[in-house]
Coordinates of all heavy atoms in Angstrom, one line a residue:
P6 N -219.7 -33.9 10.4 CA -218.4 -34.3 10.9 C -217.6 -34.9 9.7 O -218.2 -35.3 8.7 CB -218.7 -35.4 11.9 CG -220.1 -35.8 11.5 CD -220.8 -34.6 10.9
P7 N -216.2 -34.9 9.8 CA -215.4 -35.4 8.7 C -215.4 -36.9 8.5 O -214.5 -37.4 7.8 CB -214.0 -34.8 9.0 CG -214.0 -34.7 10.5 CD -215.5 -34.4 10.9
D8 N -216.3 -37.6 9.2 CA -216.4 -39.0 9.1 C -216.7 -39.5 7.7 O -217.2 -38.7 6.9 CB -217.4 -39.6 10.1 CG -217.2 -39.1 11.5 OD1 -216.0 -38.8 11.9 OD2 -218.1 -39.0 12.3
D9 N -216.6 -40.7 7.4 CA -217.0 -41.3 6.2 C -218.5 -41.4 6.2 O -219.1 -42.2 6.9 CB -216.3 -42.7 6.0 CG -216.8 -43.4 4.8 OD1 -217.4 -42.8 3.9 OD2 -216.5 -44.6 4.6
L10 N -219.1 -40.6 5.3 CA -220.6 -40.6 5.3 C -221.1 -41.4 4.1 O -222.3 -41.2 3.7 CB -221.1 -39.1 5.2 CG -220.7 -38.3 6.4 CD1 -221.1 -36.8 6.2 CD2 -221.3 -38.8 7.7
S11 N -220.3 -42.2 3.5 CA -220.7 -42.9 2.3 C -221.9 -43.9 2.5 O -222.6 -44.2 1.6 CB -219.5 -43.7 1.7 OG -219.1 -44.7 2.6
Q12 N -222.1 -44.3 3.7 CA -223.2 -45.2 4.1 C -224.4 -44.5 4.5 O -225.4 -45.1 4.8 CB -222.7 -46.2 5.1 CG -221.5 -47.1 4.7 CD -221.8 -47.9 3.5 OE1 -222.8 -48.5 3.3 NE2 -220.9 -47.8 2.5
V13 N -224.4 -43.2 4.6 CA -225.5 -42.4 5.1 C -226.5 -42.2 3.9 O -226.1 -41.8 2.9 CB -225.1 -41.0 5.7 CG1 -226.3 -40.2 6.0 CG2 -224.2 -41.2 6.9
D14 N -227.8 -42.6 4.2 CA -228.8 -42.5 3.1 C -229.7 -41.3 3.3 O -230.5 -41.0 2.4 CB -229.5 -43.8 2.9 CG -230.4 -44.2 4.0 OD1 -230.3 -43.6 5.1 OD2 -231.3 -45.1 3.9
H15 N -229.7 -40.7 4.5 CA -230.6 -39.6 4.7 C -230.1 -38.8 5.9 O -229.4 -39.3 6.7 CB -232.0 -40.0 4.9 CG -232.3 -40.7 6.2 ND1 -232.0 -42.0 6.5 CD2 -232.8 -40.2 7.4 CE1 -232.3 -42.3 7.7 NE2 -232.8 -41.2 8.3
L16 N -230.6 -37.5 6.0 CA -230.4 -36.7 7.1 C -231.8 -36.3 7.7 O -232.7 -36.0 6.9 CB -229.6 -35.4 6.8 CG -228.2 -35.6 6.3 CD1 -227.6 -34.3 5.9 CD2 -227.3 -36.2 7.4
A17 N -232.0 -36.3 8.9 CA -233.2 -35.8 9.6 C -232.9 -34.5 10.3 O -232.0 -34.5 11.1 CB -233.8 -36.9 10.5
I18 N -233.7 -33.5 10.0 CA -233.4 -32.2 10.6 C -234.6 -31.8 11.4 O -235.8 -31.8 10.9 CB -233.1 -31.2 9.5 CG1 -231.9 -31.6 8.6 CG2 -232.9 -29.8 10.1 CD1 -231.8 -30.9 7.4
G19 N -234.4 -31.4 12.7 CA -235.5 -31.0 13.5 C -235.0 -29.9 14.5 O -233.8 -29.7 14.6
L20 N -235.9 -29.3 15.2 CA -235.6 -28.4 16.3 C -235.8 -29.0 17.7 O -236.7 -29.8 17.8 CB -236.4 -27.1 16.1 CG -236.1 -26.3 14.9 CD1 -237.1 -25.1 14.8 CD2 -234.7 -25.7 14.9
Y21 N -235.0 -28.6 18.6 CA -235.1 -29.1 20.0 C -235.3 -28.0 21.0 O -234.8 -26.9 20.8 CB -233.8 -29.9 20.3 CG -233.7 -31.2 19.6 CD1 -233.2 -31.2 18.3 CD2 -234.1 -32.4 20.1 CE1 -233.0 -32.3 17.6 CE2 -234.0 -33.5 19.4 CZ -233.4 -33.5 18.1 OH -233.3 -34.7 17.4
D22 N -236.0 -28.3 22.1 CA -236.2 -27.4 23.2 C -234.8 -27.4 23.9 O -234.3 -28.4 24.3 CB -237.3 -27.9 24.1 CG -237.5 -27.0 25.3 OD1 -236.5 -26.8 26.1 OD2 -238.6 -26.6 25.5
S23 N -234.2 -26.2 24.1 CA -232.9 -26.1 24.7 C -232.8 -26.5 26.1 O -231.7 -26.8 26.6 CB -232.3 -24.7 24.5 OG -233.1 -23.8 25.2
I24 N -234.0 -26.5 26.8 CA -234.0 -26.9 28.2 C -234.2 -28.4 28.4 O -233.5 -29.0 29.2 CB -235.0 -26.1 29.0 CG1 -234.7 -24.6 28.9 CG2 -235.2 -26.5 30.4 CD1 -235.7 -23.6 29.4
T25 N -235.2 -28.9 27.7 CA -235.5 -30.3 27.9 C -234.9 -31.3 26.9 O -234.9 -32.5 27.1 CB -237.1 -30.5 27.8 OG1 -237.4 -30.3 26.4 CG2 -237.8 -29.6 28.7
N26 N -234.3 -30.7 25.8 CA -233.7 -31.5 24.7 C -234.7 -32.4 24.0 O -234.4 -33.3 23.3 CB -232.5 -32.4 25.2 CG -231.3 -31.5 25.5 OD1 -231.1 -30.5 24.8 ND2 -230.5 -31.9 26.4
E27 N -236.0 -32.1 24.2 CA -237.0 -32.8 23.4 C -237.2 -32.1 22.1 O -237.2 -30.9 21.9 CB -238.4 -32.7 24.2 CG -238.3 -33.5 25.5 CD -239.7 -33.5 26.2 OE1 -240.7 -33.4 25.5 OE2 -239.7 -33.6 27.4
R28 N -237.5 -33.0 21.0 CA -237.7 -32.5 19.7 C -239.0 -31.8 19.7 O -240.0 -32.2 20.2 CB -237.7 -33.6 18.7 CG -237.7 -33.0 17.3 CD -237.5 -34.1 16.2 NE -236.1 -34.4 16.1 CZ -235.6 -35.3 15.3 NH1 -236.4 -36.0 14.5 NH2 -234.3 -35.5 15.2
L29 N -239.1 -30.6 19.0 CA -240.3 -29.8 18.9 C -241.1 -30.3 17.8 O -240.6 -30.9 16.8 CB -239.9 -28.3 18.7 CG -239.1 -27.7 19.8 CD1 -238.7 -26.3 19.4 CD2 -240.0 -27.6 21.1
P30 N -242.5 -30.1 17.8 CA -243.3 -30.5 16.7 C -242.9 -29.8 15.4 O -242.6 -28.6 15.4 CB -244.7 -30.1 17.2 CG -244.6 -29.9 18.6 CD -243.2 -29.5 18.9
A31 N -243.0 -30.5 14.3 CA -242.7 -30.0 13.0 C -243.8 -30.3 12.0 O -244.4 -31.4 12.1 CB -241.4 -30.5 12.5

């Protein structure tokens, strides 16, 4: 998003089940 990300120190990337919206094991 075009928000101010200057305070963001990390991004977490994962996959989700499209039906339950639960994060899948990685």
Side-chain angles (χ1 to χ4, degrees):
D8 303 334
D9 176 11
L10 300 175
S11 63
Q12 301 301 310
V13 174
D14 67 346
H15 73 279
L16 296 174
I18 301 168
L20 294 174
Y21 291 82
D22 182 301
S23 63
I24 296 171
T25 65
N26 286 326
E27 291 182 29
R28 187 172 282 177
L29 297 174

